[in-house]
Amino acid sequence: MVTKETETKPTVDELLAKAKKPSQISPAMHKFYEGKMQVIPKCAIRNIDDFALWYTPGVAATCRQIEADPDKSFELTNRWNYVAIVSDGTRVLGLGDIGPEAAMPVMEGKALLFKYLGGVDAFPICLRTKDPDEIVRICKALEPTFGGINLEDIEKPKCFQILESTRSEMQVPVWHDDQQGTATVILAGLMNAFKVVGKKPKESLITLVGSGAANIRTAYVLMHWGVKPGNIILSDTKGVIYRGRPDINEKDDPWKYDVTQKTNGENRTGGIEEAFKGVDAVIAASKPGPGTIKKEWIKSMASDSIVFACANPIPEIWPWEAEDAGAKVVATGRSDFPNQVNNSMGFPAIFRGVLDVKAKTITDDMCIAAATELAVYAEERGMDERNILPQMDEWEVFPREAVACALKSIAQGVARVKPSRQELYERASTIITNARATTELLMRQGLIKPPPSEKELLR
């Protein structure tokens, strides 16, 4: 029997080769399919006469109803299921500022996940502007067409400004996945990781390595969930973040400054290693490793520690190194290691839920509701230190997560409609199942071409 102790660990070279394989194949696959998404009809077209209903002259009557009541656009058009994926291409994955055209493959990929996992019709909208006020203006101008806005791959600190402005000024939900999506799935993982190690998360010390958009929002969500602000310690490339650090000021980055004033109750100072000493959990969303986090730092943590090394494609420290150093629960951003922390477990279902009640916003409470449902699902189906979160192929979790967000929207008074729990579950399950079945049907019928072999693609 192969156990955790006796299993063969892959070599660094093997892991690096595996990590490089998708990048070697991906361009040829994109060229073969000429992109990943398309638009197809959802209405019956029995014959050419039906266009008198779907277009002129019949459509004029539908337009008049929406003119009299703009909210009817959620009933009489597909607006209720449309989401705009808005990016300026300034912080794309680990590639940085690569521009709007180069950001398109990522936004199309996001649209694919939206559809396959959440049944959401999402559209990539990559902008040739980096001006945050202009991006806010564009989002507001798009509002009549979309039921929601997903902000994506926008550099900080302007991503905070754009999110706050659009959330306060628009009547459809706006979400920044690099912030709220990451925070949601990290919270879900932490909920179960702390159960596994038998500690109380709201009383524990938690260090966040990296102070970009993901960890700043994670800090806010953790505090909103109930973790004591003083029990959270942040660090960046210059070391521990503490009140009075001269390079952090309110003018340049008010959000980082605000977190600095609330966290690190001990007011620790020094290098990153100081943020590890005696803490119960470390959440890293920083630069790829290996070696970004050192084994000796983990050895200085409290017993039965938790380490989330979320950088891609290579985590800040290899999981077995973290385990050897004493970590009991280790998570990464990769699917080929246990405990993948993956935003795809969040945004498709969360949007499914808020779209199904035609919500006006997405709040941090909805993120917490989604995280709680993810954690509960994993606990109910069985979990241990190497299996704390659901994975993408466990599709049944997505309708449950959608319902949790929808019910929270209703409870917070931001839903336009208020179906029952059962109605919401049946609706979400049907929409998600149909999205998956449609893709499978198109593949079986050859309407989506079978991909070339890996050998052909590499050639």
Side-chain angles (χ1 to χ4, degrees), residues 401-421:
E401 190 182 354
V403 171
C405 290
L407 291 175
K408 182 59 69 173
S409 301
I410 293 170
Q412 293 192 299
V414 296
R416 289 180 171 89
V417 296
K418 301 176 182 179
S420 69
R421 176 187 290 271

Side-chain angles (χ1 to χ4, degrees), residues 135-144 149 165-166 169-170:
I135 294 172
V136 171
R137 189 195 67 78
I138 291 170
C139 288
K140 291 168 66 176
L142 290 170
E143 186 172 0
I149 303 285
S165 295
T166 50
E169 298 175 28
M170 296 177 64

Side-chain angles (χ1 to χ4, degrees), residues 243-255:
R243 289 180 296 284
R245 212 177 85 171
D247 62 313
I248 300 175
N249 61 78
E250 189 171 14
K251 180 180 179 182
D252 292 339
D253 192 336
W255 298 273

